[in-house]
Amino acid sequence: MVAGSALAGGALLLTGGGIARAAVREQVREQAREQAADAVALRLPAPTGPHPVGATTLYLVDPSRRDPWDPSLPVREVMVTVLYPAAQADGDGCPIAPQMTPGTASVFAQVAPLTNPQLPNAGVDWAATMTHAHAGAPAQAVRRPVVIYSPGGGDPRTLGTYVAEELASQGHVVVSIDHPGDAGAVQFPVTTSYRSECIRTTVFRENPRTRPDVYRTAIAARLADIRFVLNQLELLAAGRNPDAADRPLPQHLPRALDLARVGIYGHSAGGTAAAQAAYDDRRIRAVVNLEGYLDYPPDQPGEPGPLFPVARYGVNRPMLLLGTDGFRNADIDRSWSAMLAHPNRRTSRRQIDDAMHWVFSDFAAMVPQLQADGLMTAEGRDQMVGALGPGCSVAMVREYVLAFFERNLSGT
């Protein structure tokens, strides 16, 4: 992987004597300061709901599973972000949380242009983007619907912030999952005896849809991660702290989770996993699939791939299939049509026009800013998010997702 090689190369520069290492470190810091001073800082759209938003992260370890991507790891580690309605907008020790940590932002800057060549290789300070959530703020001691989010393949969980913050500001608890080995970069709070680095990068070298074996492993891992996170949320709601590093929880957070009202949404591979998770797990009452395939890639090119069980047999809970005109293709149409054909009529399909696949991620707001700053072409913007302006696209995606969950998770 190019990003991993670049990081390893940087580490090798610092292996000389103490004086040399100090000089090199200072030179690297100075170069980073100069680059940051000239780099563009991107902004996320503010949530519109009545509640201030709090944020915390959980480090969760499943000892019952080996890692599916790295056989040297004897457990499965997962990182999640929890956004929730906060009891206060600010306060001592509750600063605004960044979208990405400096470590994950550094890796993202290298990985993102490889998966999306339209993005600039330089000129963006990815670590400077701030959310609108207050880290560690006390939660409102009111039971709220819980919504799980699974991001697109190779994406960090934080690339879904604009929708997650909107849901939290409107009265939902949103739990965004990183799937390590799949996500571009995941930062853990501690090292362990079996993992010497805090940051873990993706194993993907190409689009997983081009490799049926890799794609099957990715979706299976996501499904197991979702089940595990749901189990850990049950511990949290019961008053236990599931964080494997025993980091403190925000005040009243366990009282904010109403696990009788659980929904799930996901983008791309996350949408695939969200739909299948709803089929597998009765705890999930409603699901939004943001442009995720509902079939496996075929073993032989040119043949239709087998449908996921959720598309083959249907599900008796509400599902929204939300797509764009720019990403619509034969595989999406075939697998979604199979889902819609089931007689229970609990599945609906909607489409956003003049839009493209990444409009469901924070790129919907970021990419137009990059174009305005001369760091992307109009063609590159259209290939990623379409011509629809962020004032419309962000509002439309938020409204579709919010209205669906408010309609289907409002009861007890």
Side-chain angles (χ1 to χ4, degrees), residues 57-379:
T57 63
L58 296 175
Y59 166 48
L60 307 175
V61 178
D62 184 355
S64 71
R65 286 188 292 155
R66 299 189 72 89
D67 189 89
W69 301 110
D70 186 344
S72 71
L73 300 177
V75 299
R76 177 60 169 171
E77 301 172 289
V78 176
M79 289 297 299
V80 305
T81 294
V82 184
L83 299 180
Y84 50 89
Q88 58 192 48
D90 52 26
D92 293 339
C94 300
I96 293 292
Q99 182 193 31
M100 302 183 200
T101 65
T104 54
S106 177
V107 176
F108 182 82
Q110 300 172 66
V111 171
L114 300 179
T115 54
N116 291 289
Q118 305 90 342
L119 293 172
N121 290 301
V124 185
D125 185 356
W126 294 104
T129 302
M130 304 302 292
T131 69
H132 302 87
H134 295 263
Q140 295 177 15
V142 178
R143 295 288 184 191
R144 304 284 187 181
V146 175
V147 181
I148 293 171
Y149 172 65
S150 181
D155 290 345
R157 68 191 189 274
T158 52
L159 204 58
T161 297
Y162 91 79
V163 175
E165 285 193 329
E166 180 69 11
L167 291 173
S169 79
Q170 300 283 358
H172 298 72
V173 175
V174 184
V175 181
S176 300
I177 306 175
D178 256 342
H179 303 283
D182 177 330
V186 180
Q187 183 161 349
F188 300 103
V190 295
T191 59
T192 68
S193 60
Y194 47 80
R195 178 179 44 75
S196 60
E197 301 291 338
C198 282
I199 294 181
R200 184 175 171 193
T201 57
T202 183
V203 303
F204 293 165
R205 305 299 196 271
E206 56 196 336
N207 182 352
R209 286 282 298 184
T210 65
R211 290 278 307 278
D213 56 334
V214 173
Y215 187 80
R216 287 177 180 273
T217 298
I219 301 302
R222 285 167 174 261
L223 292 171
D225 289 345
I226 290 167
R227 286 194 299 271
F228 170 63
V229 168
L230 272 169
N231 294 341
Q232 297 304 291
L233 293 178
E234 290 179 345
L235 296 179
L236 177 59
R240 294 173 57 183
N241 184 354
D243 189 88
D246 200 31
R247 297 175 299 167
L249 298 171
Q251 187 179 18
H252 304 312
L253 182 61
R255 297 175 62 186
L257 277 65
D258 184 354
L259 296 181
R261 295 185 289 167
V262 174
I264 188 169
Y265 71 110
H267 175 222
S268 198
T272 304
Q276 185 58 40
Y279 177 87
D280 293 339
D281 198 319
R282 297 288 304 181
R283 292 174 292 184
I284 298 172
R285 288 180 47 175
V287 55
V288 177
N289 174 359
L290 303 173
E291 218 153 52
Y293 294 96
L294 293 179
D295 64 347
Y296 291 100
D299 292 325
Q300 298 297 327
E303 297 180 357
L307 295 173
F308 277 89
V310 65
R312 191 180 314 134
Y313 303 114
V315 66
N316 62 353
R317 276 149 285 153
M319 179 184 297
L320 172 63
L321 305 174
L322 183 57
T324 64
D325 61 336
F327 193 71
R328 190 164 181 169
N329 59 42
D331 288 340
I332 286 282
D333 280 345
R334 185 181 75 90
S335 62
W336 284 20
S337 294
M339 189 73 231
L340 291 163
H342 296 290
N344 58 39
R345 298 187 180 180
R346 303 300 301 276
T347 301
S348 59
R349 179 175 185 169
R350 298 291 183 269
Q351 180 171 292
I352 299 175
D353 291 333
D354 299 319
M356 191 53 182
H357 191 55
W358 297 104
V359 78
F360 299 115
S361 75
D362 290 343
F363 283 137
M366 292 173 151
V367 162
Q369 294 174 58
L370 293 173
Q371 183 198 0
D373 285 313
L375 294 173
M376 281 186 69
T377 65
E379 181 183 9

